[in-house]
Amino acid sequence: MNVPHLISLADLSAGQITELLDCAQRLRPHALSGSSERGVLQGKSVCTLFFEPSTRTRSSFQLAAMRLGADILGFDASHSSGSKGETAVDTMRNLEAMGVDAFVVRTSIDGQLRDLIDAAHDSTRFINAGDGRSNHPTQGLLDMLTIRQHKGRDFSQLKITLVGDILHSRVARSDLHALKTLGCGEIRVCGPQALLPDDATLDGCLRIADFDEAIADTDVVMMLRLQRERMQEGLVSSLQQYHEQYGLDSRRLALAKPDAIVMHPGPMNRGVEITDEVADGPQSVIMAQVSNGVAVRMAVLKTIFGA
Ligand code: CP
């Protein structure tokens, strides 16, 4: 597969997504313990260039790179010369001059990856670890891998419900790209009207206002983080009201199929979009998503290096 950069899942075909998921599945045993893959990226240097906070994505990329034998540089934007006014492009170029071969980038600016790619050497590789509200492709891939492990490879028979702040969610956009490309049978979306995009993002999705109706008979419930900063913008009236209308608790989960799985990309607002009993309950696959993140990121690193 010739994929030198991973910017958006919209750039990948169903065959390419499936190939990446198959590769991640094969790598799973190496992802969480001692790896026989340690020679694969020996001599390569990977930098996690994060201009926004992260727990899961940055740590799992670092572990993935280590388990493939790459040198890993964790760039800390809060202690960098960015605070003195250095631009992201200049920052990247300086790190590139130190021998970094691939950048894993998180930024609040939609589309900034393209500027970095344009300014870099042709041989330098880029992976999007979340840009603005646009894309979070490796989260999309790990979500698809988790669904596949629990529900099989045929997405055409599945009903999947996404709930919450879809407007500001790069995770939702990447999940939607992947679900549509993989031919998901029915995609339902549910959330406050002010937090649902009215562009092409939701084309092909069923908008269902009432959460009880949206979750009925569904195979997968994907909860999204309520981005609390949206409350200041007046898009959500109160946490209590949000929880009552869009919070997932045991009563609501009982309306889904008995073997439905519950997903959340993290970080979770416990007691807001999801209760403890559901987040930590038997139908939750949230920690499986996190574990799959390492394998998926190993697969993506191998792919961009053509290894
Ligand atoms: N899911 C996710 O992107 O989590 P982090 O922000 O902790 O990386």
Side-chain angles (χ1 to χ4, degrees):
M1 193 185 345
N2 181 21
V3 178
H5 312 293
L6 179 60
I7 308 303
S8 167
L9 293 184
D11 301 333
L12 301 186
S13 65
Q16 288 173 317
I17 291 176
T18 301
E19 210 175 309
L20 278 164
L21 299 182
D22 289 345
C23 179
Q25 186 64 38
R26 280 196 302 276
L27 287 168
R28 257 201 123 242
H30 306 285
L32 300 178
S33 60
S35 169
S36 62
E37 298 277 312
R38 282 194 192 270
V40 172
L41 294 187
Q42 208 161 22
K44 298 290 186 194
S45 298
V46 175
C47 174
T48 49
L49 183 58
F50 276 50
F51 299 102
E52 275 192 343
S54 165
T55 295
R56 282 147 288 270
T57 312
R58 178 161 50 184
S59 304
S60 57
F61 262 114
Q62 291 179 343
L63 285 168
M66 280 184 227
R67 285 169 183 158
L68 292 170
D71 295 329
I72 180 81
L73 173 65
F75 174 82
D76 181 357
S78 62
H79 290 96
S80 77
S81 290
S83 60
K84 301 176 205 160
E86 191 161 45
T87 66
V89 164
D90 281 339
T91 302
M92 179 279 296
R93 276 187 165 147
N94 278 269
L95 296 168
E96 189 184 46
M98 297 176 205
V100 170
D101 300 295
F103 291 95
V104 178
V105 183
R106 172 166 289 190
T107 166
S108 60
I109 302 171
D110 297 88
Q112 192 176 36
L113 270 283
R114 289 284 168 206
D115 296 338
L116 296 177
I117 292 170
D118 289 347
H121 299 140
D122 287 347
S123 58
T124 304
R125 303 293 186 230
F126 287 86
I127 301 171
N128 187 351
D131 66 324
R133 61 171 78 171
S134 295
N135 292 286
H136 194 346
T138 55
Q139 180 72 43
L141 289 171
L142 73 88
D143 286 346
M144 296 309 112
L145 184 63
T146 309
I147 293 170
R148 217 173 73 157
Q149 286 165 348
H150 289 86
K151 299 292 167 190
R153 299 171 70 96
D154 181 5
F155 280 64
S156 71
Q157 301 304 312
L158 297 180
K159 293 188 183 85
I160 297 188
T161 304
L162 275 75
V163 186
D165 180 1
I166 295 171
L167 180 67
H168 301 97
S169 175
R170 54 197 175 205
V171 173
R173 279 183 182 72
S174 286
D175 281 341
L176 288 169
H177 284 315
L179 289 169
K180 290 178 192 176
T181 303
L182 294 175
C184 181
E186 189 171 303
I187 307 172
R188 303 174 183 175
V189 294
C190 178
Q193 190 61 35
L195 297 181
L196 296 181
D198 55 10
D199 56 18
T201 306
L202 299 183
D203 284 359
C205 303
L206 285 176
R207 292 167 180 255
I208 303 179
D210 180 65
F211 191 6
D212 285 7
E213 203 184 314
I215 198 173
D217 202 31
T218 202
D219 298 282
V220 177
V221 194
M222 219 180 257
M223 301 305 298
L224 298 169
R225 179 173 78 90
L226 176 67
Q227 304 189 15
R228 289 177 186 235
E229 54 275 27
R230 308 303 164 209
M231 291 191 65
Q232 274 118 47
E233 295 170 17
L235 296 176
V236 176
S237 48
S238 77
L239 292 180
Q240 183 58 32
Q241 194 183 8
Y242 185 88
H243 178 69
E244 282 162 19
Q245 286 185 285
Y246 303 106
L248 183 59
D249 57 14
S250 298
R251 181 196 69 76
R252 279 209 169 105
L253 183 54
L255 301 173
K257 285 189 179 160
D259 63 349
I261 56 170
V262 175
M263 305 178 70
H264 193 304
M268 288 184 277
N269 294 302
R270 289 172 176 266
V272 181
E273 70 262 6
I274 192 165
T275 60
D276 287 342
E277 59 186 349
V278 172
D280 304 324
Q283 288 169 265
S284 168
V285 296
I286 294 168
M287 286 303 121
Q289 288 174 265
V290 176
S291 298
N292 282 330
V294 183
V296 158
R297 286 157 182 145
M298 286 174 77
V300 170
L301 284 166
K302 281 185 78 163
T303 300
I304 59 149
F305 280 117

